[in-house]
């Protein structure tokens, strides 16, 4: 079983809609969780980090963590064409492990 | 402030050739990582170095070796390149292993093995 699994994409949403991305992880002891955004041909960049159960909001982004279910999600509200990218879920428990990524396309 | 610098940006190798990918960071980070990225596979960890003087295997270490030359530099070596090693390689660094520390990435090296 891969350490970090993401829901398969691609995900296409209309402009202004909510994009919902999901991620599960296998190590129950993991403590640190991240969402990275990667534009085509570019390096990943951090958009959200979350360490405690519950929700964390930053602008149009909300990360949700449920350690009992080993589940992390990312919501993008009011999606914009500039949000079109691949979103990578990452878990940092001594080494930084990534999921396969979900490609999001926001259509105007 | 350069952050994480990788060289080269592009490279074409013939099967069986060797090469070293260089990575340097100027953020005084303790941990450094090498990943490869293939279509649909996300970032797969090749090797990491939690601190100067230590290295550990990641998910896909076969065919690679690494050297943590000092706190700033972490190199990845392909001793005998194979077409299966055609990929985009990313180096990253973070302040500490584990915990709530953000990783910063280099710009990537696009390697083609023919």
């Amino acid at each position: 079983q891969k350490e970090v699994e993401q829901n398969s994409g691609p995900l296409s949403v209309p402009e202004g809609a909510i994009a919902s991305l999901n991620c599960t992880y296998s190590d129950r002891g993991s403590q640190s969780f991240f969402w990275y955004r990667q534009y085509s041909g570019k390096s990943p960049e951090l958009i959200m980090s979350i360490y405690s159960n519950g929700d964390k909001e930053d602008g149009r982004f909300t990360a949700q963590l449920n350690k009992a279910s080993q589940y992390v999600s990312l919501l993008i509200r009011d999606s914009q064409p500039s949000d079109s990218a691949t979103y990578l879920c990452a878990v940092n428990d001594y080494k930084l492990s990534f999921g396969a990524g979900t490609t999001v396309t926001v259509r105007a | 402030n350069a952050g994480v610098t990788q060289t080269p940006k592009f490279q074409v190798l013939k099967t069986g050739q060797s090469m070293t990918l260089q990575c340097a960071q100027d953020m005084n980070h303790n941990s450094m990582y090498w990943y490869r990225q293939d279509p649909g596979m996300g970032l797969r960890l090749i090797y990491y170095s939690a601190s100067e003087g230590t290295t550990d295997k990641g998910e896909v270490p076969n065919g690679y070796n690494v050297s943590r030359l000092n706190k700033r530099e972490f190199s990845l070596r392909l001793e005998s390149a194979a077409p299966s090693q055609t990929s985009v390689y990313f180096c990253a660094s973070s302040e500490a292993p584990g915990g709530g520390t953000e990783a910063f990435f280099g710009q990537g090296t696009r390697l083609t093995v023919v």
Side-chain angles (χ1 to χ4, degrees):
Chain A
Q1 179 188 4
K2 195 166 166 53
E3 293 182 28
V4 184
E5 303 264 9
Q6 291 186 241
N7 55 325
S8 58
L11 180 65
S12 179
V13 298
E15 186 173 355
I18 295 175
S20 178
L21 307 171
N22 302 316
C23 173
T24 58
Y25 58 96
S26 60
D27 185 349
R28 186 170 291 277
S30 297
Q31 298 292 324
S32 305
F33 308 89
F34 305 89
W35 284 99
Y36 284 78
R37 177 177 61 199
Q38 186 178 24
Y39 292 114
S40 180
K42 301 296 186 182
S43 305
E45 57 179 345
L46 182 73
I47 53 171
M48 291 288 287
S49 59
I50 187 166
Y51 314 114
S52 304
N53 279 331
D55 296 357
K56 179 181 178 182
E57 188 174 315
D58 184 359
R60 295 184 296 107
F61 298 98
T62 299
Q64 299 173 317
L65 174 61
N66 183 326
K67 290 185 179 179
S69 300
Q70 296 174 240
Y71 174 90
V72 189
S73 67
L74 180 71
L75 298 176
I76 308 173
R77 293 186 302 282
D78 188 23
S79 295
Q80 301 297 308
S82 60
D83 296 326
S84 296
T86 296
Y87 291 81
L88 298 158
C89 175
V91 177
N92 194 350
D93 43 11
Y94 203 77
K95 61 182 190 297
L96 185 60
S97 300
F98 285 83
T102 301
T103 298
V104 174
T105 301
V106 180
R107 55 186 193 274
Chain B
N1 192 344
V4 180
T5 302
Q6 287 182 237
T7 55
K9 290 187 174 60
F10 300 93
Q11 184 71 49
V12 178
L13 288 179
K14 293 183 179 179
T15 297
Q17 287 186 318
S18 62
M19 78 161 295
T20 299
L21 280 64
Q22 307 285 354
C23 176
Q25 52 90 9
D26 62 4
M27 295 173 282
N28 201 36
H29 284 170
N30 290 296
S31 299
M32 298 185 75
Y33 312 83
W34 275 107
Y35 295 90
R36 60 177 289 172
Q37 187 171 39
D38 303 294
M41 302 290 288
L43 289 162
R44 292 188 291 169
L45 184 63
I46 304 171
Y47 271 93
Y48 64 104
S49 172
S51 60
E52 185 179 357
T54 69
T55 61
D56 287 285
K57 294 179 180 179
E59 184 183 353
V60 288
N62 291 343
Y64 305 95
N65 285 300
V66 290
S67 295
R68 184 74 183 265
L69 303 169
N70 47 55
K71 192 171 185 180
R72 290 187 63 248
E73 298 173 287
F74 188 38
S75 63
L76 178 71
R77 183 160 177 85
L78 287 70
E79 290 291 351
S80 178
S84 60
Q85 294 177 305
T86 293
S87 189
V88 179
Y89 292 84
F90 287 100
C91 176
S93 71
S94 65
E95 186 175 334
T101 54
E102 175 184 358
F104 295 84
F105 285 81
Q107 70 271 47
T109 297
R110 188 172 295 275
L111 175 66
T112 302
V113 183
V114 297

mmCIF file of all heavy atoms in Angstrom, chain B residues 44-82:
data_model
loop_
_atom_site.group_PDB
_atom_site.id
_atom_site.type_symbol
_atom_site.label_atom_id
_atom_site.label_comp_id
_atom_site.label_asym_id
_atom_site.label_seq_id
_atom_site.Cartn_x
_atom_site.Cartn_y
_atom_site.Cartn_z
ATOM 1 N N ARG B 44 8.229 10.742 -6.180
ATOM 2 C CA ARG B 44 8.693 9.536 -5.476
ATOM 3 C C ARG B 44 10.074 9.794 -4.898
ATOM 4 O O ARG B 44 10.994 10.232 -5.597
ATOM 5 C CB ARG B 44 8.702 8.343 -6.430
ATOM 6 C CG ARG B 44 7.299 7.901 -6.864
ATOM 7 C CD ARG B 44 7.340 6.609 -7.647
ATOM 8 N NE ARG B 44 7.963 6.772 -8.948
ATOM 9 C CZ ARG B 44 8.314 5.785 -9.755
ATOM 10 N NH1 ARG B 44 8.099 4.530 -9.377
ATOM 11 N NH2 ARG B 44 8.851 6.024 -10.926
ATOM 12 N N LEU B 45 10.202 9.503 -3.612
ATOM 13 C CA LEU B 45 11.438 9.790 -2.889
ATOM 14 C C LEU B 45 12.509 8.776 -3.251
ATOM 15 O O LEU B 45 12.310 7.565 -3.126
ATOM 16 C CB LEU B 45 11.156 9.771 -1.389
ATOM 17 C CG LEU B 45 12.295 10.144 -0.464
ATOM 18 C CD1 LEU B 45 12.741 11.592 -0.691
ATOM 19 C CD2 LEU B 45 11.874 9.953 0.993
ATOM 20 N N ILE B 46 13.671 9.277 -3.660
ATOM 21 C CA ILE B 46 14.785 8.402 -4.027
ATOM 22 C C ILE B 46 15.678 8.187 -2.803
ATOM 23 O O ILE B 46 15.906 7.059 -2.373
ATOM 24 C CB ILE B 46 15.610 9.013 -5.177
ATOM 25 C CG1 ILE B 46 14.714 9.311 -6.381
ATOM 26 C CG2 ILE B 46 16.734 8.055 -5.588
ATOM 27 C CD1 ILE B 46 15.424 10.109 -7.481
ATOM 28 N N TYR B 47 16.206 9.261 -2.279
ATOM 29 C CA TYR B 47 17.035 9.258 -1.072
ATOM 30 C C TYR B 47 16.759 10.540 -0.308
ATOM 31 O O TYR B 47 16.340 11.539 -0.884
ATOM 32 C CB TYR B 47 18.529 9.229 -1.436
ATOM 33 C CG TYR B 47 19.140 7.873 -1.611
ATOM 34 C CD1 TYR B 47 19.203 7.288 -2.870
ATOM 35 C CD2 TYR B 47 19.681 7.174 -0.536
ATOM 36 C CE1 TYR B 47 19.778 6.033 -3.061
ATOM 37 C CE2 TYR B 47 20.267 5.920 -0.711
ATOM 38 C CZ TYR B 47 20.310 5.361 -1.974
ATOM 39 O OH TYR B 47 20.887 4.124 -2.149
ATOM 40 N N TYR B 48 17.039 10.503 0.982
ATOM 41 C CA TYR B 48 16.981 11.722 1.754
ATOM 42 C C TYR B 48 18.110 11.739 2.771
ATOM 43 O O TYR B 48 18.714 10.705 3.083
ATOM 44 C CB TYR B 48 15.618 11.899 2.441
ATOM 45 C CG TYR B 48 15.270 10.860 3.478
ATOM 46 C CD1 TYR B 48 15.341 11.153 4.830
ATOM 47 C CD2 TYR B 48 14.820 9.596 3.103
ATOM 48 C CE1 TYR B 48 15.002 10.212 5.786
ATOM 49 C CE2 TYR B 48 14.477 8.644 4.053
ATOM 50 C CZ TYR B 48 14.564 8.958 5.389
ATOM 51 O OH TYR B 48 14.228 8.020 6.340
ATOM 52 N N SER B 49 18.368 12.940 3.243
ATOM 53 C CA SER B 49 19.405 13.150 4.242
ATOM 54 C C SER B 49 18.792 13.995 5.354
ATOM 55 O O SER B 49 18.526 15.173 5.150
ATOM 56 C CB SER B 49 20.606 13.862 3.620
ATOM 57 O OG SER B 49 21.539 14.234 4.620
ATOM 58 N N ALA B 50 18.550 13.364 6.487
ATOM 59 C CA ALA B 50 17.892 14.080 7.585
ATOM 60 C C ALA B 50 18.804 15.137 8.189
ATOM 61 O O ALA B 50 18.331 16.154 8.705
ATOM 62 C CB ALA B 50 17.443 13.092 8.653
ATOM 63 N N SER B 51 20.088 14.900 8.145
ATOM 64 C CA SER B 51 21.045 15.861 8.671
ATOM 65 C C SER B 51 22.392 15.592 8.016
ATOM 66 O O SER B 51 22.605 14.533 7.396
ATOM 67 C CB SER B 51 21.157 15.752 10.188
ATOM 68 O OG SER B 51 21.582 14.462 10.563
ATOM 69 N N GLU B 52 23.286 16.545 8.154
ATOM 70 C CA GLU B 52 24.618 16.394 7.579
ATOM 71 C C GLU B 52 25.262 15.118 8.102
ATOM 72 O O GLU B 52 25.249 14.850 9.301
ATOM 73 C CB GLU B 52 25.469 17.606 7.963
ATOM 74 C CG GLU B 52 26.826 17.633 7.325
ATOM 75 C CD GLU B 52 27.621 18.870 7.723
ATOM 76 O OE1 GLU B 52 27.075 19.721 8.462
ATOM 77 O OE2 GLU B 52 28.777 18.980 7.308
ATOM 78 N N GLY B 53 25.777 14.303 7.182
ATOM 79 C CA GLY B 53 26.445 13.073 7.576
ATOM 80 C C GLY B 53 25.574 11.845 7.550
ATOM 81 O O GLY B 53 26.051 10.727 7.771
ATOM 82 N N THR B 54 24.271 12.013 7.280
ATOM 83 C CA THR B 54 23.374 10.853 7.226
ATOM 84 C C THR B 54 22.633 10.837 5.896
ATOM 85 O O THR B 54 22.274 11.886 5.357
ATOM 86 C CB THR B 54 22.335 10.879 8.348
ATOM 87 O OG1 THR B 54 21.410 11.944 8.125
ATOM 88 C CG2 THR B 54 22.982 11.057 9.700
ATOM 89 N N THR B 55 22.427 9.626 5.372
ATOM 90 C CA THR B 55 21.584 9.453 4.196
ATOM 91 C C THR B 55 20.760 8.179 4.364
ATOM 92 O O THR B 55 21.218 7.223 5.012
ATOM 93 C CB THR B 55 22.403 9.358 2.890
ATOM 94 O OG1 THR B 55 23.281 8.224 2.967
ATOM 95 C CG2 THR B 55 23.219 10.609 2.650
ATOM 96 N N ASP B 56 19.564 8.186 3.797
ATOM 97 C CA ASP B 56 18.691 7.021 3.905
ATOM 98 C C ASP B 56 17.966 6.816 2.595
ATOM 99 O O ASP B 56 17.679 7.772 1.868
ATOM 100 C CB ASP B 56 17.660 7.212 5.026
ATOM 101 C CG ASP B 56 18.266 7.091 6.384
ATOM 102 O OD1 ASP B 56 18.561 5.950 6.798
ATOM 103 O OD2 ASP B 56 18.477 8.131 7.028
ATOM 104 N N LYS B 57 17.641 5.543 2.333
ATOM 105 C CA LYS B 57 16.907 5.214 1.125
ATOM 106 C C LYS B 57 15.452 5.630 1.249
ATOM 107 O O LYS B 57 14.846 5.577 2.315
ATOM 108 C CB LYS B 57 16.972 3.705 0.872
ATOM 109 C CG LYS B 57 18.367 3.199 0.563
ATOM 110 C CD LYS B 57 18.359 1.692 0.352
ATOM 111 C CE LYS B 57 19.777 1.186 0.044
ATOM 112 N NZ LYS B 57 19.801 -0.288 -0.145
ATOM 113 N N GLY B 58 14.919 6.041 0.106
ATOM 114 C CA GLY B 58 13.503 6.329 0.037
ATOM 115 C C GLY B 58 12.760 5.202 -0.636
ATOM 116 O O GLY B 58 13.109 4.033 -0.495
ATOM 117 N N GLU B 59 11.780 5.562 -1.422
ATOM 118 C CA GLU B 59 10.884 4.595 -2.054
ATOM 119 C C GLU B 59 11.516 3.897 -3.255
ATOM 120 O O GLU B 59 11.277 2.720 -3.507
ATOM 121 C CB GLU B 59 9.623 5.350 -2.495
ATOM 122 C CG GLU B 59 8.515 4.514 -3.087
ATOM 123 C CD GLU B 59 7.357 5.389 -3.545
ATOM 124 O OE1 GLU B 59 7.365 6.615 -3.276
ATOM 125 O OE2 GLU B 59 6.444 4.852 -4.195
ATOM 126 N N VAL B 60 12.358 4.628 -4.027
ATOM 127 C CA VAL B 60 12.895 4.093 -5.283
ATOM 128 C C VAL B 60 14.409 4.323 -5.389
ATOM 129 O O VAL B 60 14.875 5.045 -6.273
ATOM 130 C CB VAL B 60 12.162 4.696 -6.504
ATOM 131 C CG1 VAL B 60 10.757 4.148 -6.627
ATOM 132 C CG2 VAL B 60 12.131 6.232 -6.424
ATOM 133 N N PRO B 61 15.244 3.715 -4.521
ATOM 134 C CA PRO B 61 16.678 4.025 -4.514
ATOM 135 C C PRO B 61 17.528 3.257 -5.530
ATOM 136 O O PRO B 61 18.666 3.645 -5.787
ATOM 137 C CB PRO B 61 17.077 3.602 -3.092
ATOM 138 C CG PRO B 61 16.145 2.462 -2.782
ATOM 139 C CD PRO B 61 14.843 2.820 -3.453
ATOM 140 N N ASN B 62 16.979 2.188 -6.110
ATOM 141 C CA ASN B 62 17.805 1.337 -6.967
ATOM 142 C C ASN B 62 18.318 2.098 -8.176
ATOM 143 O O ASN B 62 17.564 2.757 -8.889
ATOM 144 C CB ASN B 62 17.013 0.107 -7.416
ATOM 145 C CG ASN B 62 16.735 -0.834 -6.266
ATOM 146 O OD1 ASN B 62 17.367 -0.750 -5.211
ATOM 147 N ND2 ASN B 62 15.787 -1.733 -6.451
ATOM 148 N N GLY B 63 19.635 1.984 -8.412
ATOM 149 C CA GLY B 63 20.257 2.631 -9.555
ATOM 150 C C GLY B 63 20.821 4.003 -9.239
ATOM 151 O O GLY B 63 21.380 4.654 -10.132
ATOM 152 N N TYR B 64 20.700 4.431 -7.980
ATOM 153 C CA TYR B 64 21.148 5.764 -7.570
ATOM 154 C C TYR B 64 22.059 5.671 -6.347
ATOM 155 O O TYR B 64 21.930 4.759 -5.535
ATOM 156 C CB TYR B 64 19.966 6.654 -7.216
ATOM 157 C CG TYR B 64 18.910 6.785 -8.284
ATOM 158 C CD1 TYR B 64 17.787 5.968 -8.279
ATOM 159 C CD2 TYR B 64 19.037 7.736 -9.297
ATOM 160 C CE1 TYR B 64 16.819 6.080 -9.248
ATOM 161 C CE2 TYR B 64 18.061 7.862 -10.276
ATOM 162 C CZ TYR B 64 16.953 7.029 -10.246
ATOM 163 O OH TYR B 64 15.987 7.155 -11.215
ATOM 164 N N ASN B 65 22.929 6.654 -6.235
ATOM 165 C CA ASN B 65 23.697 6.854 -5.018
ATOM 166 C C ASN B 65 23.675 8.337 -4.681
ATOM 167 O O ASN B 65 23.484 9.175 -5.570
ATOM 168 C CB ASN B 65 25.151 6.395 -5.191
ATOM 169 C CG ASN B 65 25.260 4.891 -5.179
ATOM 170 O OD1 ASN B 65 24.893 4.243 -4.210
ATOM 171 N ND2 ASN B 65 25.758 4.327 -6.270
ATOM 172 N N VAL B 66 23.880 8.651 -3.406
ATOM 173 C CA VAL B 66 23.864 10.053 -2.999
ATOM 174 C C VAL B 66 25.066 10.341 -2.115
ATOM 175 O O VAL B 66 25.668 9.438 -1.534
ATOM 176 C CB VAL B 66 22.579 10.423 -2.222
ATOM 177 C CG1 VAL B 66 21.362 10.427 -3.151
ATOM 178 C CG2 VAL B 66 22.377 9.503 -1.030
ATOM 179 N N SER B 67 25.372 11.625 -2.050
ATOM 180 C CA SER B 67 26.413 12.098 -1.136
ATOM 181 C C SER B 67 25.953 13.397 -0.516
ATOM 182 O O SER B 67 25.564 14.327 -1.248
ATOM 183 C CB SER B 67 27.729 12.345 -1.890
ATOM 184 O OG SER B 67 28.254 11.154 -2.409
ATOM 185 N N ARG B 68 25.986 13.443 0.815
ATOM 186 C CA ARG B 68 25.730 14.718 1.508
ATOM 187 C C ARG B 68 27.112 15.305 1.764
ATOM 188 O O ARG B 68 27.791 14.977 2.729
ATOM 189 C CB ARG B 68 24.977 14.480 2.815
ATOM 190 C CG ARG B 68 24.610 15.774 3.532
ATOM 191 C CD ARG B 68 23.493 16.502 2.868
ATOM 192 N NE ARG B 68 23.174 17.765 3.490
ATOM 193 C CZ ARG B 68 22.219 17.938 4.402
ATOM 194 N NH1 ARG B 68 21.505 16.909 4.821
ATOM 195 N NH2 ARG B 68 21.985 19.132 4.895
ATOM 196 N N LEU B 69 27.526 16.159 0.874
ATOM 197 C CA LEU B 69 28.901 16.662 0.866
ATOM 198 C C LEU B 69 29.168 17.557 2.069
ATOM 199 O O LEU B 69 30.263 17.560 2.633
ATOM 200 C CB LEU B 69 29.151 17.421 -0.430
ATOM 201 C CG LEU B 69 28.886 16.587 -1.697
ATOM 202 C CD1 LEU B 69 28.892 17.481 -2.932
ATOM 203 C CD2 LEU B 69 29.905 15.479 -1.827
ATOM 204 N N ASN B 70 28.216 18.339 2.442
ATOM 205 C CA ASN B 70 28.265 19.231 3.608
ATOM 206 C C ASN B 70 26.822 19.642 3.875
ATOM 207 O O ASN B 70 25.890 19.104 3.254
ATOM 208 C CB ASN B 70 29.173 20.437 3.333
ATOM 209 C CG ASN B 70 28.878 21.073 1.989
ATOM 210 O OD1 ASN B 70 27.726 21.441 1.735
ATOM 211 N ND2 ASN B 70 29.882 21.180 1.127
ATOM 212 N N LYS B 71 26.609 20.594 4.752
ATOM 213 C CA LYS B 71 25.233 20.949 5.089
ATOM 214 C C LYS B 71 24.497 21.545 3.891
ATOM 215 O O LYS B 71 23.296 21.394 3.747
ATOM 216 C CB LYS B 71 25.213 21.937 6.254
ATOM 217 C CG LYS B 71 23.829 22.124 6.858
ATOM 218 C CD LYS B 71 23.891 22.939 8.126
ATOM 219 C CE LYS B 71 22.511 22.990 8.764
ATOM 220 N NZ LYS B 71 22.511 23.775 10.022
ATOM 221 N N ARG B 72 25.208 22.205 2.983
ATOM 222 C CA ARG B 72 24.582 22.894 1.861
ATOM 223 C C ARG B 72 24.294 21.982 0.676
ATOM 224 O O ARG B 72 23.359 22.223 -0.067
ATOM 225 C CB ARG B 72 25.501 24.018 1.365
ATOM 226 C CG ARG B 72 25.649 25.199 2.267
ATOM 227 C CD ARG B 72 26.443 26.299 1.558
ATOM 228 N NE ARG B 72 25.759 26.804 0.380
ATOM 229 C CZ ARG B 72 26.166 26.621 -0.865
ATOM 230 N NH1 ARG B 72 27.256 25.929 -1.137
ATOM 231 N NH2 ARG B 72 25.490 27.139 -1.874
ATOM 232 N N GLU B 73 25.111 20.956 0.475
ATOM 233 C CA GLU B 73 25.092 20.250 -0.805
ATOM 234 C C GLU B 73 24.706 18.778 -0.672
ATOM 235 O O GLU B 73 25.192 18.066 0.223
ATOM 236 C CB GLU B 73 26.464 20.363 -1.467
ATOM 237 C CG GLU B 73 26.865 21.795 -1.775
ATOM 238 C CD GLU B 73 28.304 21.873 -2.265
ATOM 239 O OE1 GLU B 73 29.220 21.697 -1.438
ATOM 240 O OE2 GLU B 73 28.484 22.093 -3.482
ATOM 241 N N PHE B 74 23.887 18.327 -1.619
ATOM 242 C CA PHE B 74 23.409 16.946 -1.626
ATOM 243 C C PHE B 74 23.352 16.518 -3.086
ATOM 244 O O PHE B 74 22.536 17.023 -3.854
ATOM 245 C CB PHE B 74 22.023 16.896 -0.974
ATOM 246 C CG PHE B 74 21.469 15.524 -0.722
ATOM 247 C CD1 PHE B 74 22.274 14.467 -0.310
ATOM 248 C CD2 PHE B 74 20.105 15.285 -0.858
ATOM 249 C CE1 PHE B 74 21.749 13.218 -0.051
ATOM 250 C CE2 PHE B 74 19.560 14.037 -0.602
ATOM 251 C CZ PHE B 74 20.392 13.000 -0.199
ATOM 252 N N SER B 75 24.224 15.602 -3.479
ATOM 253 C CA SER B 75 24.304 15.212 -4.885
ATOM 254 C C SER B 75 23.698 13.831 -5.112
ATOM 255 O O SER B 75 23.682 12.986 -4.228
ATOM 256 C CB SER B 75 25.750 15.246 -5.367
ATOM 257 O OG SER B 75 26.524 14.289 -4.648
ATOM 258 N N LEU B 76 23.217 13.630 -6.332
ATOM 259 C CA LEU B 76 22.609 12.358 -6.743
ATOM 260 C C LEU B 76 23.395 11.830 -7.931
ATOM 261 O O LEU B 76 23.561 12.532 -8.925
ATOM 262 C CB LEU B 76 21.146 12.575 -7.145
ATOM 263 C CG LEU B 76 20.380 11.349 -7.643
ATOM 264 C CD1 LEU B 76 20.098 10.385 -6.496
ATOM 265 C CD2 LEU B 76 19.064 11.770 -8.308
ATOM 266 N N ARG B 77 23.851 10.585 -7.851
ATOM 267 C CA ARG B 77 24.667 10.013 -8.915
ATOM 268 C C ARG B 77 23.972 8.818 -9.548
ATOM 269 O O ARG B 77 23.434 7.949 -8.843
ATOM 270 C CB ARG B 77 26.035 9.592 -8.387
ATOM 271 C CG ARG B 77 26.949 9.044 -9.485
ATOM 272 C CD ARG B 77 28.401 9.083 -9.101
ATOM 273 N NE ARG B 77 29.249 8.503 -10.136
ATOM 274 C CZ ARG B 77 29.694 9.181 -11.197
ATOM 275 N NH1 ARG B 77 29.362 10.462 -11.353
ATOM 276 N NH2 ARG B 77 30.468 8.590 -12.097
ATOM 277 N N LEU B 78 23.994 8.818 -10.869
ATOM 278 C CA LEU B 78 23.556 7.673 -11.654
ATOM 279 C C LEU B 78 24.819 7.019 -12.200
ATOM 280 O O LEU B 78 25.536 7.624 -12.995
ATOM 281 C CB LEU B 78 22.660 8.098 -12.815
ATOM 282 C CG LEU B 78 21.243 8.552 -12.512
ATOM 283 C CD1 LEU B 78 21.217 9.901 -11.805
ATOM 284 C CD2 LEU B 78 20.416 8.603 -13.791
ATOM 285 N N GLU B 79 25.119 5.820 -11.756
ATOM 286 C CA GLU B 79 26.372 5.164 -12.135
ATOM 287 C C GLU B 79 26.319 4.610 -13.552
ATOM 288 O O GLU B 79 27.282 4.678 -14.291
ATOM 289 C CB GLU B 79 26.690 4.034 -11.157
ATOM 290 C CG GLU B 79 27.083 4.502 -9.765
ATOM 291 C CD GLU B 79 28.441 5.199 -9.721
ATOM 292 O OE1 GLU B 79 29.168 5.183 -10.740
ATOM 293 O OE2 GLU B 79 28.776 5.772 -8.672
ATOM 294 N N SER B 80 25.181 4.054 -13.939
ATOM 295 C CA SER B 80 25.029 3.464 -15.264
ATOM 296 C C SER B 80 23.584 3.718 -15.695
ATOM 297 O O SER B 80 22.686 2.944 -15.366
ATOM 298 C CB SER B 80 25.332 1.966 -15.229
ATOM 299 O OG SER B 80 25.147 1.389 -16.515
ATOM 300 N N ALA B 81 23.385 4.819 -16.392
ATOM 301 C CA ALA B 81 22.030 5.274 -16.698
ATOM 302 C C ALA B 81 21.262 4.274 -17.557
ATOM 303 O O ALA B 81 21.825 3.637 -18.468
ATOM 304 C CB ALA B 81 22.080 6.629 -17.377
ATOM 305 N N ALA B 82 19.969 4.165 -17.268
ATOM 306 C CA ALA B 82 19.065 3.291 -18.020
ATOM 307 C C ALA B 82 17.878 4.113 -18.502
ATOM 308 O O ALA B 82 17.522 5.117 -17.862
ATOM 309 C CB ALA B 82 18.584 2.147 -17.127
#
